[in-house]
Amino acid sequence: MVQLVVDSGCDLPDDFLRKFTIPVLPHSVGVGEDTFGDQRNPAKMNHFYSMSLVDRSRHIVTGPAPTEEIGSILRSLVNKGCKDIVVQTINGTNSPTYKNARTAARVLLNSDDAGDDVAIHTVDSRTLFSGQGLLALYSLMLIRKGLSGAEVANKAEEFSHRIHGYAAINDVYYVRERARSKNENSISWLKATAARHLDLHPILSMHRDGSTVTDTVRGYDNCTEALFKLAIDKIRAGELQVPMVVVSIAGRLENLEQVPGFAELEKVAGEHNVKVYRSVMSLSGGINLGPGTVALALASKE
């Protein structure tokens, strides 16, 4: 059977990853002088969010999964007898992880550790966080149908074009400061300050390598309701490519039930036999989008 591998940007519940034995390539997270690999450990993620380690006052640095560590994980899988491996990574335009995975796979396949019958397929998800989670769910569905690694990789790349990710931003000023720390100036001080004083919250739309602001709403409760309505409208219109929606929160998972609009999404999804997957947002996502951010991903037929 094909072995699926994801990176830690992929928003899926830890129990799901463990149930289907899906290894995680760890992005690096540095807080002050401490650096660790984000392997989507539930206890560490809860600690990170509950202790408010994601805030503007701390110097936090995120990095891609290193080539050497990716190679070590892939080599371990091959040594366990995995012959057909599909590796899916965060959007290649946002992180070098995809490039590192390709390098690690090439080095391993050219070494004596891999026989001629080993195949490793690397897939750029062209999406982020909850979008990666949706792609992984779709890929696992194909694997369980018995498709080969090459078939899974090809269909996953096609499916990624259908994925639409959205995020309700709680603190625009935080996002601006994070961007500035990476020498990005897409959000001006004036816009960030105005958003704070007027209680304005954008909904980011992420699709095929790019992101835009699809709406701006006054009041964060109204913003999350507008976010979930995007999915509700598509569910009711029968526009989903697959009956799945992934929702993640940059905070404790139990807080998701209190987010305005989420209960209505689950109600409508249940009425239309659509499965809603809940997940804690990856640390990379929470660090860059800010605490309290809620994201969702769906695949549209259009």
Side-chain angles (χ1 to χ4, degrees):
M1 181 177 282
V2 176
Q3 174 65 59
L4 179 64
V5 179
V6 299
D7 66 29
S8 59
C10 180
D11 286 348
L12 280 178
D14 176 72
D15 57 356
F16 188 93
L17 295 171
R18 286 189 285 108
K19 178 181 178 180
F20 293 101
T21 320
I22 302 174
V24 175
L25 309 176
H27 294 166
S28 65
V29 177
V31 182
E33 296 181 354
D34 299 324
T35 301
F36 60 91
D38 174 18
Q39 294 180 303
R40 298 199 62 86
N41 178 282
K44 185 168 288 188
M45 294 176 80
N46 276 335
H47 173 74
F48 206 85
Y49 285 122
S50 64
M51 296 299 290
S52 298
L53 294 180
V54 180
D55 62 37
R56 290 195 301 271
S57 67
R58 299 178 187 274
H59 179 66
I60 305 177
V61 179
T62 60
T67 303
E68 296 76 13
E69 191 151 5
I70 296 173
S72 177
I73 291 172
L74 295 178
R75 187 173 293 103
S76 175
L77 291 173
V78 170
N79 290 339
K80 290 177 182 177
C82 297
K83 303 292 187 182
D84 205 2
I85 301 170
V86 174
V87 182
Q88 293 178 352
T89 74
I90 194 169
N91 193 329
T93 62
N94 292 83
S95 167
T97 296
Y98 173 66
K99 179 181 177 182
N100 292 351
R102 285 178 58 87
T103 300
R106 184 175 65 251
V107 170
L108 178 57
L109 291 173
N110 289 332
S111 72
D112 294 334
D113 294 329
D116 294 336
D117 56 346
V118 173
I120 303 175
H121 313 273
T122 52
V123 178
D124 180 349
S125 72
R126 300 192 180 280
T127 185
L128 306 163
F129 317 133
S130 54
Q132 287 179 257
L134 185 62
L135 184 66
L137 289 169
Y138 175 76
S139 300
L140 186 62
M141 181 178 69
L142 298 178
I143 290 171
R144 299 182 76 187
K145 287 182 178 180
L147 275 67
S148 69
E151 292 171 323
V152 171
N154 288 335
K155 287 184 176 294
E157 289 179 350
E158 294 173 2
F159 183 75
S160 70
H161 297 173
R162 302 283 187 178
I163 295 176
H164 294 262
Y166 302 94
I169 303 300
N170 187 28
D171 186 347
V172 175
Y173 204 89
Y174 173 94
V175 176
R176 175 182 185 270
E177 292 302 298
R178 279 297 306 161
R180 288 182 68 237
S181 72
K182 298 184 289 183
N183 296 317
E184 299 173 6
N185 296 298
S186 55
I187 303 174
S188 70
W189 175 87
L190 184 61
K191 285 183 178 179
T193 302
R196 174 186 287 178
H197 287 302
L198 297 175
D199 195 20
L200 298 176
H201 303 270
I203 296 177
L204 294 185
S205 172
M206 297 164 282
H207 177 60
R208 294 190 67 181
D209 299 328
S211 64
T212 58
V213 174
T214 192
D215 198 2
T216 300
V217 183
R218 177 165 288 179
Y220 192 57
D221 287 356
N222 295 329
C223 186
T224 59
E225 287 184 340
L227 170 76
F228 292 126
K229 189 175 185 299
L230 290 170
I232 288 170
D233 288 347
K234 287 189 176 294
I235 292 171
R236 284 178 169 156
E239 295 179 359
L240 296 191
Q241 183 79 11
V242 293
M244 298 181 288
V245 176
V246 176
V247 180
S248 60
I249 181 171
R252 298 180 68 87
L253 190 59
E254 53 266 32
N255 294 342
L256 190 55
E257 292 188 0
Q258 280 73 54
V259 175
F262 181 70
E264 180 67 12
L265 170 65
E266 288 210 311
K267 176 177 176 292
V268 173
E271 293 170 350
H272 292 79
N273 297 315
V274 173
K275 173 72 173 176
V276 177
Y277 290 86
R278 310 178 181 192
S279 175
V280 175
M281 186 177 291
S282 72
L283 295 185
S284 296
I287 289 167
N288 286 291
L289 297 181
T293 291
V294 177
L296 69 80
L298 51 81
S300 176
K301 293 177 181 179
E302 297 296 328

